[in-house]
Every structure is written in C-alpha cells, then in structure tokens.
Amino acid sequence: MTTRFNEAIATFEHAMDRARQMISLYDALSAIRRGDPANDDALRSAYFQAVSSFDFFAHELAAIEAKHRFSTGVRTRNIALPMEVMTIANIEERVSTAEAQIRQSNSYKAFVDPAKLAEMLACYCEKPWMSICTNMNLGKPTSEQRSPVDVKGQLKSIWKRRNQIAHEADVNPMLSGISLWPIYKSDTEFTISFMLEIGRQLPIVISTPLPELDNTIDIESDEQG
C-alpha cells in the first residue's frame, strides 16, 4: 500500500477505536444502571462515530489521490477544474489550489451513500464496487463471500440509520415521539467492523491507475459492477 495514505489511515483507525470504546462505555453504564434506556445513547454515539469517520476517511482519500495524480500526471477522469486553477503557472500552487477545489466540490457529498462513493472512486479506477468486494472476499470461504449488491445494500441501510440518529434524534414517530428506535450492541459492533472492513479496501482501490485507453464506463455501469 502506498505511504501517501498513512496519516489518513491512522486517523481512521483511531476514530474506529474510539467507536469501540463507546461500546465499552455502554457495557460499564449497563452494569451500573441496569435497564436504563439512556445507556443506549452510548451505542448511538458509537454508531454515529463509525459511519461519520468512514465518510471523512473517503473524503480525505479523494483529496490525497487527486493531489498525487495532479502532481505526477497519473490519469483521472470526470474531474472538472476551473480554468483559473489549471492556468496557475507555479506547479505547487496549482496542485494545492486543485486539491482545495476538489475538497470544496466534494464537501456536500455523503460518501456513505454507495452511489456517491462509486461516483468518486470511478474518477480514479474502474468498477470500484467490484474491486472492493473482490478484496473483501479474498481468503474467505465461498459461503462468507458477498456480492457488490449485498455490500451496497448493507451500506445503504447503515447510512439510513445514521441519518435517523443525526437528523431525527432516532425518535420513533409512534407514541407521540416519546420513544426511540431500539439499538442493539451486536448491530453496533457489526456496523463498526463492516465500515472498517470496507474502509481498509479504499486506499487500495482508489490508487489503482486507470487504463491508458479510456472506454468511458459510465457511473451506472460501475454501480452495477
């Protein structure tokens, strides 16, 4: 794996460890005040931390890879930069400004959304979801291997639950909004592991060069593959 991602990977791994620590906090609170519904908020914090950390990690990888490719001339596609950026004479300033532009253009996108993640990765490599799943399935028995459809469906479900927590306070609209949707330790642990497993594939996938001859595979094709 290339060293340019080392700092971002370390930050991501640290953030996921903090999410696991929130589960430990849940265990401690449950031992002290058994059955208290407020204990579940530690699980919600862990869930939110894991998903948001994955999103931040994907944003960082996109900016790092864009900077690398602009500096070295490695091909990208579907990345539009203003003419005033491309005409900057000083190469270091041009690359730095281009990186800032990429960060700005991606800032409103949620890369936990499987379609948005594929759209971003497809700027740097072909068939991103197929590549992610191929790497995830390496060394696993056939019964444990997962297809792109399965993995994207799971990620979309996790993203939806994260949005419930973030934007709806995880409130169940039934019973006049006085109860929350249930959250379980096992589901939260699975979410952390799942996000970490996908996240570990992203630096490998995004750094895979595009072929020199571009047959222009559209994003929808990448999504299905």
Side-chain angles (χ1 to χ4, degrees):
M1 185 175 300
T2 56
T3 59
R4 61 182 174 274
F5 301 120
N6 284 356
E7 185 174 346
I9 292 170
T11 300
F12 176 59
E13 297 271 357
H14 175 68
M16 300 305 275
D17 185 59
R18 287 173 55 204
R20 291 195 190 93
Q21 290 175 23
M22 294 303 298
I23 294 180
S24 297
L25 176 60
Y26 165 80
D27 289 336
L29 290 172
S30 297
I32 295 171
R33 50 188 199 189
R34 193 177 301 275
D36 191 329
N39 296 344
D40 292 349
D41 287 342
L43 294 180
R44 292 184 177 90
S45 295
Y47 200 103
F48 189 89
Q49 170 78 13
V51 179
S52 297
S53 297
F54 176 90
D55 187 46
F56 178 78
F57 183 50
H59 277 268
E60 285 298 297
L61 295 183
I64 291 167
E65 187 62 17
K67 182 178 181 179
H68 168 74
R69 296 199 183 196
F70 295 158
S71 300
T72 59
V74 178
R75 197 165 69 84
T76 62
R77 64 182 177 189
N78 301 328
I79 295 179
L81 293 171
M83 183 62 68
E84 58 265 30
V85 174
M86 300 310 297
T87 55
I88 295 174
N90 182 280
I91 186 169
E92 291 185 3
E93 183 182 354
R94 183 167 69 248
V95 169
S96 178
T97 305
E99 179 191 2
Q101 179 68 29
I102 292 296
R103 288 183 181 276
Q104 176 62 32
S105 63
N106 285 340
S107 61
Y108 66 93
K109 300 175 183 178
F111 290 145
V112 188
D113 176 353
K116 291 296 183 185
L117 182 62
E119 181 182 347
M120 179 273 284
L121 292 173
C123 296
Y124 307 99
C125 66
E126 291 191 308
K127 296 190 177 296
W129 273 113
M130 184 65 72
S131 298
I132 289 171
C133 291
T134 297
N135 290 332
M136 287 177 65
N137 290 332
L138 284 176
K140 292 183 179 180
T142 303
S143 60
E144 295 180 13
Q145 293 183 10
R146 305 182 66 173
S147 71
V149 172
D150 292 337
V151 175
K152 288 187 289 184
Q154 185 69 59
L155 184 60
K156 187 173 291 187
S157 176
I158 288 172
W159 180 48
K160 180 179 178 181
R161 183 58 190 276
R162 179 266 180 198
N163 288 341
Q164 278 186 333
I165 296 171
H167 304 304
E168 303 169 17
D170 217 23
V171 172
N172 185 337
M174 305 298 289
L175 301 176
S176 301
I178 61 174
S179 66
L180 303 183
W181 292 109
I183 188 167
Y184 304 102
K185 177 181 175 180
S186 58
D187 290 342
T188 307
E189 290 175 325
F190 170 81
T191 295
I192 293 171
S193 297
F194 181 77
M195 302 306 289
L196 190 57
E197 186 176 13
I198 296 179
R200 284 172 172 161
Q201 314 313 320
L202 297 187
I204 302 170
V205 171
I206 200 172
S207 60
T208 303
L210 288 163
E212 288 304 315
L213 294 177
D214 187 5
N215 294 321
T216 312
I217 300 174
D218 61 25
I219 298 303
E220 184 139 6
S221 297
D222 282 324
E223 271 294 282
Q224 294 170 351

